[in-house]
Amino acid sequence: MAPSTLTALAEEKTLQTSFIRDEDERPKVAHNKFSNEIPVISLKGIDDESGVNNGRRAEICEKIVKACEDWGIFQVVDHGVDAQLISQMTTLAKQFFALPPEEKLRFDMSGGKKGGFIVSSHLQGEVVQDWREIVTYFSYPIRARDYSRWPDKPEGWIAVTQKYSEKLMELACKLLEVLSEAMGLEKEALTKACVDMDQKVVVNFYPKCPQPDLTLGLKRHTDPGTITLLLQDQVGGLQATKDNGKTWITVQPVEGAFVVNLGDHGHFLSNGRFKNADHQAVVNSNSSRLSIATFQNPAPEAIVYPLKIREGEKAVMDEPITFAEMYRRKMSKDLELARLKKLAKEQQIHAEEAAEKAKLETKPIEEILA
Ligand SMILES: O=C1C[C@@H](c2ccc(O)c(O)c2)Oc2cc(O)cc(O)c21
Ligand SMILES: O=C(O)CCC(=O)C(=O)O
Ligand SMILES: [Fe+2]
């Protein structure tokens, strides 16, 4: 059972066992050992398709496409989202997590409610807990918004979140246009494949952690959707993989930048040409950390299948399926893997205990008592 908030646990000297991960899952690289390998791309001039600047758009597009092919993750600056809006969004988010537990728990979503506050994860049945609190809103399609699940404190946050969601939807669509064109398709191809794009904002708060080397803020995963725009503070903790998942790097925080991640949907639609970035978040004992993930997902009924299969390529999917089915299969695979891992661990403990018992039984009594 996940605790209802992390406020009290963050003050303890040791970590509660439900957060302790197996050794192979624990952090390998420090939260602040930053790498500059992930490309940082300026979007200045991306809208200008005329004359001399068309060269600039082409240059930006080339960089984005290369980053998607090599990493599935990159950062964007000069993206046009107002710095003041970003600062309001982060200030208000921090104020929300600083509220007393009972205020945050007015929006508790542990009973399976769509949107609100929860510790660790929205997924049911996780074996090990993530060291994070989240507050999440379903922001698009607008007609499906349920404002009763949007926290009404701190004052002014609903209005700021609405504006933030709108601006991030615009930025995401711009990036999807570039990727559509790179696939040799019309600009709207990827947004059309999403049917009626869903957007979900997840604000992650990672409190200071007593034993950060034993746990993760957010376990290793790929995002399920088309594209994710992540805003992170300067603390550091986002990690991505290279060398086919073997090596971890910590992404250098860049003030005012968005980290752009390709998700599974984007990966499948490009027939595997664009990577779905494998990533996780680590925590530390010095300071809390805030990140805001804006997930751009297709509608649940949207059909998932490669939009373009290039000559000589084989389709990465056996059959077209809906996004809802794709998500369901992903979640059950994730949970099944965690269950098998837990089982293997229990069996190992059992076998070790049995071996110890057998050893004792064959020992002469004088040795046991010695
Ligand atoms: O919180 C997340 C992160 C992410 C994710 C985490 C864990 C998984 O097993 C997984 O498959 C994905 O993607 C999300 C996607 C969502 O729609 C909501 C989330 O809260 C998250
Ligand atoms: O907090 C981070 O840096 C990562 C967050 C993330 O990957 C997510 O919310 O899906
Ligand atoms: Fe993620």
Side-chain angles (χ1 to χ4, degrees):
M1 245 306 257
S4 47
T5 76
L6 296 180
T7 313
L9 298 185
E11 299 304 322
E12 304 264 309
K13 289 261 175 305
T14 55
L15 191 63
Q16 191 175 295
T17 48
S18 62
F19 294 93
I20 300 181
R21 299 216 164 249
D22 283 352
E23 253 160 66
D24 61 334
E25 288 186 348
R26 292 180 195 166
K28 309 279 180 297
V29 182
H31 78 284
N32 54 0
K33 187 177 182 293
F34 300 129
S35 156
N36 286 318
E37 286 171 89
I38 303 284
V40 179
I41 304 172
S42 164
L43 299 187
K44 198 166 179 198
I46 195 172
D47 291 328
D48 207 337
E49 294 186 50
S50 61
V52 137
N53 280 321
N54 196 21
R56 178 73 194 123
R57 179 175 165 86
E59 214 178 284
I60 298 168
C61 297
E62 211 175 285
K63 286 185 184 159
I64 293 177
V65 170
K66 176 135 179 39
C68 290
E69 289 176 340
D70 293 350
W71 291 95
I73 186 168
F74 55 99
Q75 307 204 47
V76 292
V77 291
D78 304 319
H79 40 62
V81 181
D82 185 31
Q84 202 195 340
L85 177 64
I86 292 180
S87 147
Q88 283 174 328
M89 184 72 187
T90 50
T91 304
L92 292 166
K94 281 184 195 152
Q95 287 172 2
F96 173 81
F97 290 105
L99 289 171
E102 61 276 17
E103 276 293 339
K104 295 191 269 192
L105 289 167
R106 282 177 50 228
F107 296 92
D108 186 12
M109 59 175 195
S110 53
K113 296 232 171 62
K114 274 197 94 191
F117 170 82
I118 199 163
V119 166
S120 181
S121 171
H122 61 300
L123 301 172
Q124 310 273 309
E126 289 281 352
V127 181
V128 182
Q129 308 298 315
D130 290 326
W131 185 261
R132 66 167 181 168
E133 293 184 347
I134 64 177
V135 65
T136 172
Y137 316 84
F138 290 79
S139 36
Y140 280 87
I142 294 179
R143 61 175 188 283
R145 284 184 189 176
D146 176 0
Y147 285 116
S148 74
R149 305 299 311 160
W150 293 38
D152 48 6
K153 281 187 190 165
E155 210 192 309
W157 200 17
I158 293 187
V160 169
T161 311
Q162 284 170 335
K163 190 87 200 144
Y164 184 82
S165 288
E166 184 191 324
K167 293 294 161 198
L168 267 74
M169 176 60 89
E170 283 170 21
L171 176 57
C173 289
K174 204 175 276 184
L175 294 167
L176 291 180
E177 280 185 9
V178 169
L179 296 181
S180 303
E181 284 181 338
M183 285 163 64
L185 304 167
E186 56 163 333
K187 264 185 177 175
E188 291 77 24
L190 280 165
T191 43
K192 277 188 187 162
C194 291
V195 181
D196 191 3
M197 205 183 279
D198 266 25
Q199 187 198 62
K200 181 179 174 182
V201 178
V202 177
V203 187
N204 299 297
F205 178 69
Y206 306 97
K208 276 197 244 189
C209 178
Q211 293 181 294
D213 297 343
L214 303 183
T215 192
L216 289 173
L218 174 53
K219 69 166 190 186
R220 179 181 195 161
H221 66 281
T222 56
D223 292 343
T226 321
I227 198 170
T228 306
L229 304 178
L230 183 90
L231 182 71
Q232 63 163 333
D233 63 20
Q234 297 302 297
V235 174
L238 171 63
Q239 300 191 326
T241 58
K242 61 177 188 179
D243 307 334
N244 277 328
K246 286 194 282 290
T247 313
W248 284 101
I249 59 154
T250 307
V251 178
Q252 167 83 57
V254 174
E255 186 77 52
F258 288 103
V259 180
V260 182
N261 248 344
L262 260 270
D264 301 336
H265 182 244
H267 174 75
F268 287 137
L269 261 51
S270 70
N271 201 35
R273 176 177 167 197
F274 303 141
K275 288 207 166 91
N276 44 349
D278 188 18
H279 59 287
Q280 65 181 19
V282 299
V283 292
N284 73 90
S285 55
N286 302 322
S287 47
S288 60
R289 173 171 177 262
L290 187 89
S291 76
I292 306 178
T294 303
F295 296 100
Q296 299 286 148
N297 294 342
E301 68 278 11
I303 298 298
V304 186
Y305 198 72
L307 292 178
K308 176 118 182 200
I309 300 172
R310 295 191 291 180
E311 229 179 88
E313 281 179 357
K314 200 176 152 294
V316 290
M317 297 178 71
D318 294 333
E319 48 167 1
I321 52 173
T322 62
F323 180 66
E325 176 60 13
M326 195 207 95
Y327 200 102
R328 195 195 59 74
R329 288 186 196 175
K330 178 185 176 71
M331 295 298 144
S332 53
K333 200 166 129 199
D334 280 0
L335 293 177
E336 181 61 7
L337 279 175
R339 200 187 62 81
L340 289 175
K341 207 165 172 201
K342 188 179 171 208
L343 202 71
K345 202 169 146 190
E346 281 165 1
Q347 279 170 349
Q348 193 196 339
I349 292 172
H350 197 72
E352 280 167 10
E353 281 170 0
E356 203 48 45
K357 193 163 164 254
K359 225 160 81 186
L360 270 179
E361 279 165 3
T362 54
K363 262 188 186 171
I365 191 73
E366 312 76 75
E367 260 184 55
I368 295 171
L369 296 176

